[in-house]
Amino acid sequence: MKHSLLLFLSANRLHAQLMTGGKIELQQDFTDTPNGLEEFASFLQTAKRPAYLLTDLIEEDFRHEIVPHLTGGNRTALLKRKFDQFYRGTPFHQATILQRQKTGRRDIDMLFSALTNPSLITPWLNIILAQKTPLAGIYSVPQISAPLVKDHPSNHLLLISWEKYSGLRQTYFSQHHLQISRLTPVHTELTFHDAVVKELARTYQYLKSLSLLPAGQILDVRILCHEDDRIELRKKLPDDADMRYDFADIEKVGQQLDVDHRFTDSDASQIFLHQLVSSRPKSDYSNAEHTRYHTLWQMRLAFNWSAVVLLITSVLWAAATLWQSGGNATEAENLRIQAQRITKEAQQITQNFPSTHAPAAEMRASVSIMRKLDQYEPIPQIILKPISAALDHFPQIELNELDWQGKASEPVASNTRPDVPAQVITLKGDLEGFDNDYRTALSYLDRFQLELNTRGYQVTPLAKPLDVSPSGSLADQRKAGDNSLAFSLKLVWRPPL
Amino acid sequence: MKFSASDFPLMRGSLVAICTSALLSGVILYSSTRYAVQNETNLNNAQRQINESRNRLTEAHSDQENLSVYSAEYGILEEQNIIGDDHRLDWMEGLEKLRSQNLALDFRYNIAPQKAYIPQPAIDSGNFNMHYSEMKLQFDLLHEGQLLKFLDALRKQVKGHYQIEGCSLTRNEAEADASTPAMHIKAECNGGWITLKSRNAPQ
């Protein structure tokens, strides 16, 4: 509301003021004449900003009703019915919830009100709509008076104010809820304080007659006036046990509301205009068609702000992305420089290689293969020499056949290398000179096997001179024709770990 | 409230503003995202490049080390004709040379066609094909010591690598025969000539 157009409508005059940053930029009065209306139309052409129309008219009616608590379509239908019933002839009506009852059906205390003479408003409103001025709403002085009495402790309070071009406004609040309001034109021959004295007595009687003020209840009266008028009022207001007076200094109220106006009399028009801007009521007398251009203005504003926010957000997002990505670019450049340096270093190393026709990897592979094959190959000396040495200790063993082969499939004994093939040796021979002394011969062969074992061979007998195991068959040996006893042994050898 | 065509002129500026803003925002976001993606791709490429460079350096260091460690030994393999194709004439000449040294009473050899060699247990042959030309040796010996000397001489004097798989020695049953009084042992050895051929070399 920094930039707004405030309009104050009285019976035959419209006051308009352009507000900028809470200060009055320009103000002008228009009379209810063709000329005045034309000037107003010209004025609006230069004032394309949200407008607030505050009315202060005699023809404003208030009806207090208790209605059932309804919601949605039922509530809308009820209100429409009530408006048709009470205010058929005017489009400027509203319903304000005062409170919900605490007992029974918990119905709602509702205040129906309307500006009952639309012809006072329509000419001005038509110009506003014709000029496509964004009208925010149509309000009335009683409607926005409540904040001025909210600090007063009384439950029965009459607020009296004076608007220069309208007259004396008396608004009655019960339990801080607006009940009725009266506007009395003040003629030039009558001073403000005389009018207050005269009308206050009438209003008191009016409230009593309507039973709005309970019997025996003191009526608190708050008078919004200038310091000069206060002194006069104190002199002229009668001391009455039924009324208590409270004077609100219009200058102090203006300061509290930060009103950009110097108060020289008790005219409260500026107080109400600023009150409207600072605490706008939720409901008002306008309908959707009256505020059409304000809705469009709000949409335009929303679109414009959305456009700005979208653009700023995108720019910020893009900036964050670029900033983050800039780090990647720097890192990539550093890595590229590092990679070039490493490549150059590798090239320097390879350039210094002697010129060979084989790559280094092939050299290593071929040498490794041949080293491994050397380990696979049985070296005859290693195989035969221990056996020869063992045979030297056993002269009664005659070796007839020796056979060795490399075999990878042989089981790996503990403490031997599993990664090379085992050497499998088969010995075939005879035991000589034992005649028929089989026990000694077998014992001799056992010792020979033991000797081979101690030299690192795993020995397995394949054939013995005699099979004396329970599963073997035995026969006498006389038919053999000599004294030899044949045997066969399998020796397995792997290099130790 | 219902909108009508007459409302459009009032809203035109704002609609243009929001559309322009949306368009500009789209362009800005698209461009920045594309720039970021490009930078990320560049970073990934740079990381790949540096990894390749590091691997190349490691390989160079490894080659440098291999050259110093293996080049001498590789030279011997080349000199021994182990690298490359079979040199069967060399083997035959070598064997005949051994025959003239009378290391055994007599020996006979038989070299079979070349074939692929698969050692047991298996060996990682790298970039080489391992070839094997089987050769059987049969000996007439006075004693087993002659076999050992012959095999030792075969290893030292003949160019190539003869991989012995196994031997069998049998005492000669006809020892008592007066016509061959010296021959005590018959021996037979199995094995083959190993050659390594690079897969990059012309086959």
Side-chain angles (χ1 to χ4, degrees), chain A residues 189-484:
Chain A
E189 63 269 17
L190 201 64
T191 59
F192 166 64
H193 24 86
D194 287 338
V196 169
V197 172
K198 184 181 167 189
E199 291 299 323
L200 181 56
R202 286 184 182 176
T203 303
Y204 181 77
Q205 290 304 321
Y206 180 68
L207 293 175
K208 294 287 278 184
S209 65
L210 290 177
S211 301
L212 287 171
L213 184 66
Q217 183 67 49
I218 295 174
L219 178 66
D220 282 287
V221 180
R222 169 169 280 187
I223 305 169
L224 187 61
C225 62
H226 191 265
E227 175 67 16
D228 298 342
D229 288 325
R230 186 174 66 86
I231 295 165
E232 286 299 316
L233 282 168
R234 278 196 185 284
K235 286 179 191 169
K236 292 185 176 176
L237 281 171
D239 288 335
D240 192 334
D242 295 329
M243 284 189 277
R244 255 192 318 252
Y245 305 114
D246 169 37
F247 299 94
D249 188 342
I250 198 166
E251 275 192 280
K252 286 182 182 171
V253 174
Q255 283 170 4
Q256 284 167 6
L257 292 173
D258 196 22
V259 178
D260 176 34
H261 179 73
R262 188 165 177 275
F263 293 93
T264 55
D265 55 19
S266 293
D267 181 13
S269 305
Q270 289 298 329
I271 296 290
F272 287 114
L273 282 172
H274 280 79
Q275 185 64 40
L276 173 62
V277 174
S278 61
S279 46
R280 196 175 143 201
K282 288 176 185 169
S283 63
D284 66 292
Y285 288 121
S286 64
N287 59 33
E289 277 309 307
H290 301 148
T291 56
R292 175 183 197 83
Y293 295 109
H294 186 258
T295 307
L296 292 174
W297 176 82
Q298 282 180 315
M299 287 175 65
R300 275 206 319 266
L301 199 66
F303 279 178
N304 291 344
W305 274 111
S306 301
V308 171
V309 169
L310 183 63
L311 200 59
I312 289 173
T313 307
S314 305
V315 168
L316 290 177
W317 185 278
T321 307
L322 293 179
W323 180 74
Q324 198 177 6
S325 181
N328 285 351
T330 311
E331 195 181 342
E333 187 56 32
N334 289 341
L335 286 176
R336 257 194 295 276
I337 293 168
Q338 218 177 331
Q340 283 169 358
R341 187 176 53 73
I342 293 170
T343 306
K344 198 174 173 185
E345 193 181 338
Q347 280 170 348
Q348 280 173 350
I349 292 171
T350 51
Q351 276 168 4
N352 292 330
F353 284 172
S355 54
T356 55
H357 56 268
E362 285 196 2
M363 288 187 184
R364 188 185 59 182
S366 59
V367 169
S368 299
I369 292 167
M370 295 314 294
R371 284 180 182 176
K372 199 77 183 170
L373 283 177
D374 280 343
Q375 292 174 359
Y376 285 15
E377 190 180 25
I379 299 169
Q381 285 86 342
I382 292 175
I383 293 165
L384 296 178
K385 277 190 176 171
I387 296 171
S388 293
L391 284 170
D392 287 346
H393 293 127
F394 294 87
Q396 287 179 272
I397 290 178
E398 180 86 10
L399 191 62
N400 296 326
E401 200 174 318
L402 183 144
D403 176 274
W404 89 82
Q405 288 289 328
K407 273 190 184 174
S409 56
E410 280 294 322
V412 180
S414 58
N415 297 325
T416 58
R417 288 181 58 181
D419 57 335
V420 295
Q423 300 305 319
V424 180
I425 303 145
T426 309
L427 295 180
K428 288 181 183 173
D430 295 321
L431 293 168
E432 300 285 351
F434 288 97
D435 296 328
N436 291 327
D437 187 359
Y438 303 123
R439 189 178 298 278
T440 308
L442 289 174
S443 171
Y444 192 79
L445 184 61
D446 284 344
R447 278 189 280 115
F448 178 58
Q449 289 180 42
L450 200 62
E451 173 80 17
L452 291 171
N453 255 325
T454 57
R455 291 178 185 272
Y457 296 99
Q458 288 176 266
V459 184
T460 312
L462 298 175
K464 284 189 171 181
L466 278 176
D467 185 1
V468 292
S469 66
S471 58
S473 302
L474 289 171
D476 68 75
Q477 300 290 309
R478 284 176 299 167
K479 286 182 183 174
D482 55 24
N483 293 328
S484 63

Side-chain angles (χ1 to χ4, degrees), chain B residues 104 106-110 136-140 186-189:
Chain B
D106 190 18
F107 74 89
R108 294 164 295 283
Y109 60 86
N110 185 11
K136 281 189 178 174
L137 284 166
Q138 291 173 316
F139 299 94
D140 294 333
K186 278 186 174 293
E188 184 173 313
C189 289

